[in-house]
Amino acid sequence: LGEVQGPDLLDELAAFTGGRSFAIQNRRDIEEASAAIAREIHDQYVIGYQPAETTADGKFHRISVKVDRAQHQPRFFLFHRNGYRAD
């Protein structure tokens, strides 16, 4: 059961935390995933967020992240959490 649900569970966990998961089906996938991970580690940075109101209401609060870039700048990928729970 765990092997069947594993990839979906990892995808869900990665999406919830703003990360990514890589499914490895064969040896070639390992090389491609390793290269993608190395690029992401090399090019990443972290932005922090603290809401103005800090009431512990237990609700999930959605956030969105928008980035302005000039058209001549290269494209990039943004991975982030969809929100936070104020507990």
Side-chain angles (χ1 to χ4, degrees), residues 3 13 15 18 25 28 42 44 51 59 70-72 74 82-83:
E3 289 182 27
L13 179 63
Q25 302 296 327
R28 182 179 168 100
H42 178 265
Q44 74 179 337
K59 296 179 182 177
Q71 287 198 359
H72 69 278
N82 294 327

Side-chain angles (χ1 to χ4, degrees), residues 16-37:
F16 181 73
T17 60
R20 292 196 344 142
S21 68
F22 296 88
I24 306 298
Q25 302 296 327
N26 58 55
R27 298 185 98 168
R28 182 179 168 100
D29 293 343
I30 294 171
E31 184 178 331
E32 291 174 5
S34 297
I37 292 167

Side-chain angles (χ1 to χ4, degrees), residues 2-87:
E3 289 182 27
V4 174
Q5 293 177 334
D8 290 337
L9 181 60
L10 287 175
D11 283 343
E12 185 178 333
L13 179 63
F16 181 73
T17 60
R20 292 196 344 142
S21 68
F22 296 88
I24 306 298
Q25 302 296 327
N26 58 55
R27 298 185 98 168
R28 182 179 168 100
D29 293 343
I30 294 171
E31 184 178 331
E32 291 174 5
S34 297
I37 292 167
R39 275 191 310 275
E40 289 181 17
I41 290 172
H42 178 265
D43 296 340
Q44 74 179 337
Y45 62 93
V46 177
I47 299 173
Y49 169 76
Q50 183 173 355
E53 186 177 315
T54 58
T55 304
D57 59 9
K59 296 179 182 177
F60 185 80
H61 298 267
R62 291 202 171 279
I63 61 170
S64 64
V65 179
K66 298 178 182 180
V67 179
D68 289 331
R69 70 172 180 88
Q71 287 198 359
H72 69 278
Q73 292 177 320
R75 292 186 55 125
F76 61 92
F77 296 95
L78 179 65
F79 302 100
H80 62 90
R81 293 175 61 175
N82 294 327
Y84 64 94
R85 186 167 312 283
D87 293 330

